Amino acid sequence: MTNRLFIIGAVIVAALYVFFSSIYIVDEREQAIVMRFGQITDIRTEPGIYFKIPTDIVDSVQVVEDRLLRYDIANMRVQVSGNAFYQVDAFLTYRISNARLFRERATGQLAVAEARIGASLDAALRQVYGLREFSDALSDQRAQMMQETRDLIRPDLAELGLDIVDVRILRTDLDSDVSATTFERMRAERLAEAALLRARGQEQAQSLRAIADRQAVEIVAAATRDAEIIRGQGDAERNRIYAAAYGQDAEFFEFYRSMEAYRLALPNSGTTMVLSPESAFFRYFGSDGELPEASTEFATPLPPASVPEIGTGSDQPALDGLGIEEVVPPSMTLEDGSQLEPTVGTEAPAPVEDAAPLPAPAQ
């Protein structure tokens, strides 16, 4: 009885083994490669339950992915045209489109396929970046670069039964050495630009200062000239008036001049003067305070002399009414062709936008 139970149990176990080893299930995320003695006999891509010869000795099944897979590459150092280097992060998405080729040429192993993918992606990225200038890798050409990379590796990986869906570049950064060099170059350019602007400002300041000094000298010279002319005209008018008064009554004029001389020469200061009584200075001291008789014969009064006008030399009004001409502000032409004029009030001259290169010195 016991032997019979063992035999029945063994038969049931054998039957279950045969049953379960003759079926295989294909998931919707997978595809199955059916092989008989190592030779591929069938490819199952549709999900479901399938049957094969029991046991794995005759027929064996290898399940591979049917999903979209991803491969990443990070911190890849690539060189662009001009010997500059970038640090690049990228990835691609792929699918096993031909399970037969994938089994035959990559033994159906993702590790083998991804080794080939890594080499192909590395070479394609280096080729694409190597054809670009330094600034192109950071411009709007990135989409074109990703498309070129995908097109380069597609034929190579299609031989493994892989279909490259897309290639994406995640990051493109300057290499640490290149970044430092670029920073120093940009810093030098900014310093040179600042020095140029500072020199241009100093040039304008010196030009304006020279113009202002010239204007000041011209204005002071014109004012001094006109002041001397007016002073001379005043002295001439004073002398003319004195002469006219003397011609009207010479005796009274002598008396008036003597009184002025007494007032100025004999102030109340204790001054002692030793003079002869017959001196002409004391002519009117012995008159007992009597004034000289008024003259009845007067000369014809002199008409007032007309003061000549000082011409301004131009139709524009004078600055202060004294004949000082309004000076036309001079201007200067710089080497870049721009006109430089003195400022008015607090108005600053407009900066020069683009400076022409300085001429080479004469040999």
Side-chain angles (χ1 to χ4, degrees):
M1 184 67 181
T2 303
N3 293 335
R4 183 181 297 176
L5 290 177
F6 277 112
I7 293 172
I8 294 173
V11 171
I12 293 174
V13 171
L16 291 176
Y17 172 76
V18 170
F19 174 76
F20 284 107
S21 64
S22 64
I23 65 172
Y24 59 94
I25 301 173
V26 178
D27 191 83
E28 63 269 8
R29 298 167 296 178
E30 301 171 340
Q31 50 185 330
I33 304 174
V34 182
M35 295 173 290
R36 181 169 296 171
F37 299 113
Q39 300 296 323
I40 299 175
T41 59
D42 196 5
I43 303 293
R44 302 292 185 179
T45 58
E46 296 296 329
I49 300 176
Y50 297 93
F51 294 91
K52 64 180 182 63
I53 296 176
T55 74
D56 292 335
I57 299 175
V58 179
D59 285 349
S60 61
V61 178
Q62 182 179 10
V63 178
V64 296
E65 292 285 348
D66 195 29
R67 295 178 295 180
L68 197 64
L69 303 176
R70 170 170 171 162
Y71 179 82
D72 290 86
I73 186 170
N75 298 326
M76 178 182 176
R77 192 167 185 259
V78 297
Q79 182 179 7
V80 297
S81 179
N83 297 326
F85 289 90
Y86 280 112
Q87 292 287 338
V88 177
D89 290 346
F91 75 92
L92 61 79
T93 54
Y94 67 97
R95 177 182 287 110
I96 301 174
S97 59
N98 192 326
R100 186 180 298 273
L101 287 178
F102 181 69
R103 168 64 189 181
E104 292 175 350
R105 300 185 180 181
T107 68
Q109 302 296 323
L110 287 178
V112 177
E114 288 184 349
R116 180 78 171 270
I117 291 173
S120 299
L121 182 58
D122 184 280
L125 286 174
R126 293 184 186 279
Q127 180 177 347
V128 170
Y129 273 88
L131 298 176
R132 259 62 180 190
E133 296 294 335
F134 179 77
S135 59
D136 294 341
L138 300 177
S139 65
D140 54 359
Q141 296 188 22
R142 175 174 292 192
Q144 180 181 356
M145 295 170 62
M146 293 186 293
Q147 184 177 358
E148 290 180 5
T149 305
R150 183 193 63 185
D151 295 340
L152 284 173
I153 63 177
R154 257 185 174 175
D156 183 32
L157 297 180
E159 298 178 357
L160 298 181
L162 305 178
D163 179 28
I164 305 302
V165 179
D166 197 9
V167 174
R168 292 292 169 178
I169 298 175
L170 296 177
R171 177 178 66 96
T172 301
D173 288 339
L174 290 175
D175 191 63
S176 57
D177 297 338
V178 178
S179 180
T181 304
T182 303
F183 173 77
E184 291 299 328
R185 178 174 58 84
M186 295 174 63
R187 181 173 180 271
E189 290 177 354
R190 298 290 82 78
L191 290 177
E193 183 178 357
L196 177 62
L197 294 176
R198 192 176 295 111
R200 194 175 297 165
Q202 292 176 356
E203 177 188 1
Q204 293 181 355
Q206 292 176 358
S207 300
L208 294 176
R209 193 176 293 112
I211 293 174
D213 293 343
R214 176 183 172 184
Q215 288 179 337
V217 171
E218 290 178 352
I219 292 174
V220 171
T224 303
R225 177 200 65 194
D226 295 339
E228 293 297 331
I229 293 175
I230 294 172
R231 188 178 293 111
Q233 292 174 349
D235 292 342
E237 182 65 14
R238 181 193 61 185
N239 294 334
R240 186 190 69 82
I241 294 174
Y242 279 148
Y246 184 82
Q248 292 290 320
D249 192 341
E251 185 66 23
F252 179 77
F253 186 76
E254 290 293 336
F255 174 75
Y256 175 77
R257 293 295 298 273
S258 297
M259 293 300 103
E260 286 292 320
Y262 297 156
R263 183 177 64 84
L264 297 175
L266 301 174
N268 188 17
S269 60
T271 301
T272 302
M273 299 180 65
V274 181
L275 297 174
S276 173
E278 288 80 15
S279 173
F281 184 73
F282 296 108
R283 176 181 176 184
Y284 294 102
F285 265 62
S287 61
D288 297 328
E290 297 180 359
L291 297 176
E293 297 180 358
S295 176
T296 59
E297 297 179 357
F298 297 103
T300 304
L302 296 177
S306 60
V307 179
E309 296 183 358
I310 302 175
T312 61
S314 65
D315 297 335
Q316 301 294 331
L319 293 178
D320 55 1
L322 299 179
I324 303 176
E325 299 180 4
E326 184 177 3
V327 180
V328 178
S331 61
M332 299 180 63
T333 302
L334 301 180
E335 295 179 352
D336 58 0
S338 60
Q339 292 291 330
L340 181 63
E341 298 180 355
T343 58
V344 179
T346 58
E347 181 181 358
V352 181
E353 294 294 335
D354 296 321
L358 299 177
Q363 297 295 331

